[in-house]
Amino acid sequence: AQKITQTQPGMFVQEKEAVTLDCTYDTSDQSYGLFWYKQPSSGEMIFLIYQGSYDEQNATEGRYSLNFQKARKSANLVISASQLGDSAMYFCAMRVPAAGGTSYGKLTFGQGTILTVHP
Amino acid sequence: DTGVSQDPRHKITKRGQNVTFRCDPISEHNRLYWYRQTLGQGPEFLTYFQNEAQLEKSRLLSDRFSAERPKGSFSTLEIQRTEQGDSAMYLCASSAGDRVGQPQHFGDGTRLSIL
């Protein structure tokens, strides 16, 4: 079964600095997808960035980049130039093929990391 | 572009009562997912639909839980004979397809509190 581990319950960063949120995963599937979501205190889950297992380049979306190290099974999120509005819970999630098929279904989430940005 | 809509936002009920939640996905999204999130934890998968077909149910979904998507558009999640342990945020998400990189877009959730 697939598993996502986020070992940092909480992280603090100074405004305008960069921060890395750790994520390791475990799956026996060769094809899979890795996602990061942001959940502010208001509760909505916001999709940030995606990395496919066969993608050779690390994904980037604006200030977000994903440091993908396949051999180490890690998919760390890097947020550059942190802003006060980045304070939130961040979840790493994985998607693997549904049983018996080539389609993809549910997401499996880690426990999350609370990021606090200080002015 | 209207996002995923969930109703109600909050539900407070007594133990033993039945509750029903509704989710309206992004229009033309054929996939619809339900997750449950307890305080300080990541969302846990409950079930998902492709159009009106329920493709997978988690073992978390006991006999007291039932979900439907009768016309392949909105979905309902019903919990019968609620228990204290059902208190959680119930999240709905939708996606446009089943490709690995297709992101799931979430609604704001329904927070259920059992008295």
Side-chain angles (χ1 to χ4, degrees), chain A residues 32-33 35 37 39 44-45 47 50 91 95 103-107 109-111, chain B residues 31 33 35 37 40-43 45 48 56 98-102 104 106 108:
Chain A
Y32 51 87
F35 300 79
Y37 283 83
Q39 188 175 41
E44 75 272 27
M45 295 281 285
F47 165 68
Y50 160 77
F91 290 100
R95 204 174 186 196
S103 69
Y104 295 79
K106 65 189 179 190
L107 288 168
F109 287 85
Q111 291 198 313
Chain B
R31 287 282 184 101
Y33 306 81
Y35 295 85
Q37 184 180 24
Q41 303 294 315
F45 169 75
Y48 81 93
E56 186 177 351
D98 62 357
R99 289 177 290 120
V100 62
Q102 202 77 48
Q104 296 178 17
F106 285 78
D108 290 342

Side-chain angles (χ1 to χ4, degrees), chain A residues 20-96:
Chain A
T20 298
L21 306 183
D22 293 343
C23 172
T24 58
Y25 61 91
D26 188 26
T27 180
S28 57
D29 293 283
Q30 296 301 308
S31 177
Y32 51 87
L34 296 156
F35 300 79
W36 278 92
Y37 283 83
K38 172 184 178 181
Q39 188 175 41
S41 56
S42 51
E44 75 272 27
M45 295 281 285
I46 302 167
F47 165 68
L48 296 178
I49 195 167
Y50 160 77
Q51 179 85 41
S53 60
Y54 292 120
D55 294 343
E56 294 184 353
Q57 302 283 340
N58 285 340
T60 60
E61 287 286 349
R63 294 185 300 109
Y64 304 109
S65 61
L66 203 153
N67 184 1
F68 182 46
Q69 298 188 44
K70 195 170 182 177
R72 301 175 74 172
K73 294 193 171 180
S74 73
N76 299 338
L77 177 70
V78 180
I79 305 174
S80 62
S82 296
Q83 303 172 355
L84 295 178
D86 293 334
S87 293
M89 179 77 96
Y90 288 81
F91 290 100
C92 181
M94 179 167 60
R95 204 174 186 196
V96 300

Side-chain angles (χ1 to χ4, degrees), chain B residues 65-77:
Chain B
F65 287 71
S66 62
E68 294 183 335
R69 195 182 183 198
K71 296 182 180 179
S73 56
F74 73 91
S75 174
T76 57
L77 178 68

Side-chain angles (χ1 to χ4, degrees), chain A residues 3-25:
Chain A
K3 186 178 179 181
I4 293 283
T5 302
Q6 294 180 254
T7 57
Q8 305 157 314
M11 288 286 286
F12 296 88
V13 67
Q14 207 71 25
E15 195 179 8
K16 299 181 185 177
E17 293 185 349
V19 63
T20 298
L21 306 183
D22 293 343
C23 172
T24 58
Y25 61 91

